[in-house]
Amino acid sequence: MNQETNNNQQSNPLSKEKEQPAREKNPERDALKKENEELKSKLISYQKQFEEADKEKDSWKNKYYEAYADRANARKQLEKENDDFKKYAQKSFIEELIPTLDSFDMSLKAKPTDEATKRYKEGFERIHNKLLHLLMQAHVEIIDPKIGEEYNPHTRMALSTIEGEENNKVAEVYRKGYKLYDHLLRAASVVTTVKKPQQQDKPQEEKKEDK
């Protein structure tokens, strides 16, 4: 009987020792755990802020380079406009002077016979040469084509054509042209040549008939 009772007690779980009581609360440990969670959360937040700041840094960096490039381009454009203004400030004055130069050229083509007129022409030529010298100092190029040279459509203007031995040769000059730096003020007016058509020999039969 005693042995049976002992067996029952061994097989019965209620007979085992009472379970250990629940883990007692530890305020200090809980506080550390909470603080650790807060730090982890802050770390994630700071990481996101850092990534956003890094993106903003790249954005501001690109904006800086764009602003710097725009400023450099604006400075170059301003310098170019300033240079162009200095170069072409006298453009209008020279254009107004060109008809006077044409009058000089027409007058100097005359061939005086008496001594008084010859002396007058010589003085006229000195004034004309001095004026041309001043224009060349102001970077004005005088386009004075020569007879027989190749026709250049960029600085010459063909008013008419005549027959010649070759094509596109200058046959006559009406007016000189003028250029200020790389800007064409007026093209030279010229007459150009067109090659004469070659005469073909008559066929033999036609020659016989002619005889």
Side-chain angles (χ1 to χ4, degrees), residues 15-28:
S15 65
K16 293 182 179 179
E17 294 180 357
K18 291 183 179 181
E19 293 182 356
Q20 293 292 332
R23 183 180 294 177
E24 295 181 1
K25 290 185 178 181
N26 189 330
E28 186 176 345

Side-chain angles (χ1 to χ4, degrees), residues 37-205:
E37 293 295 331
E38 290 176 354
L39 287 173
K40 186 177 179 182
S41 177
K42 287 181 179 180
L43 181 62
I44 294 172
S45 176
Y46 290 154
Q47 182 68 26
K48 289 181 179 179
Q49 290 179 19
F50 176 78
E51 291 175 356
E52 291 175 0
D54 195 48
K55 290 179 182 178
E56 287 186 13
K57 180 198 72 173
D58 291 338
S59 175
W60 281 110
K61 189 176 180 180
N62 292 334
K63 288 179 180 179
Y64 168 77
Y65 285 135
E66 288 175 4
Y68 183 82
D70 290 342
R71 184 171 176 270
N73 291 334
R75 185 178 67 252
K76 288 180 182 177
Q77 181 64 26
L78 186 61
E79 289 175 353
K80 183 180 180 301
E81 290 175 358
N82 188 39
D83 290 341
D84 288 344
F85 175 77
K86 290 178 181 178
K87 286 168 65 175
Y88 303 115
Q90 69 272 33
K91 175 176 173 288
S92 298
F93 170 72
I94 295 170
E95 286 177 332
E96 292 176 2
L97 191 61
I98 287 176
T100 304
L101 297 172
D102 291 338
S103 299
F104 268 99
D105 291 333
M106 291 295 295
S107 301
L108 292 173
K109 287 180 181 179
K111 295 180 180 180
T113 55
D114 60 283
E115 291 299 323
T117 309
K118 285 180 181 179
R119 288 194 296 271
Y120 179 77
K121 182 182 178 182
E122 288 173 359
F124 209 60
E125 284 176 342
R126 284 195 292 270
I127 295 171
H128 182 240
N129 291 335
K130 189 173 289 187
L131 182 58
L132 293 179
H133 180 70
L134 292 172
L135 287 174
M136 285 187 285
Q137 285 184 329
H139 303 283
V140 176
E141 179 186 346
I142 301 165
I143 304 169
D144 189 10
K146 303 297 183 243
I147 304 300
E149 73 178 19
E150 191 75 20
Y151 171 69
N152 182 354
H154 299 293
T155 55
R156 279 80 167 158
M157 180 175 63
L159 300 179
S160 61
T161 58
I162 60 173
E163 288 186 351
E165 298 299 324
E166 297 180 87
N167 278 325
N168 290 326
K169 297 293 182 181
V170 175
E172 188 178 347
V173 180
Y174 279 143
R175 294 187 310 183
K176 296 177 182 177
Y178 297 92
K179 194 175 181 181
L180 177 62
Y181 289 98
D182 56 351
H183 181 75
L184 185 67
L185 299 176
R186 188 184 74 184
S189 301
V190 298
V191 176
T192 58
T193 59
V194 176
K195 191 174 182 180
K196 294 178 182 178
Q198 294 181 349
Q199 293 182 350
Q200 296 180 353
D201 294 335
K202 293 182 179 180
Q204 292 294 329
E205 294 180 1

Side-chain angles (χ1 to χ4, degrees), residues 1-10:
M1 185 80 177
N2 290 333
Q3 185 176 1
E4 230 175 89
T5 303
N6 289 336
N7 289 337
N8 289 336
Q9 287 177 353
Q10 288 177 359

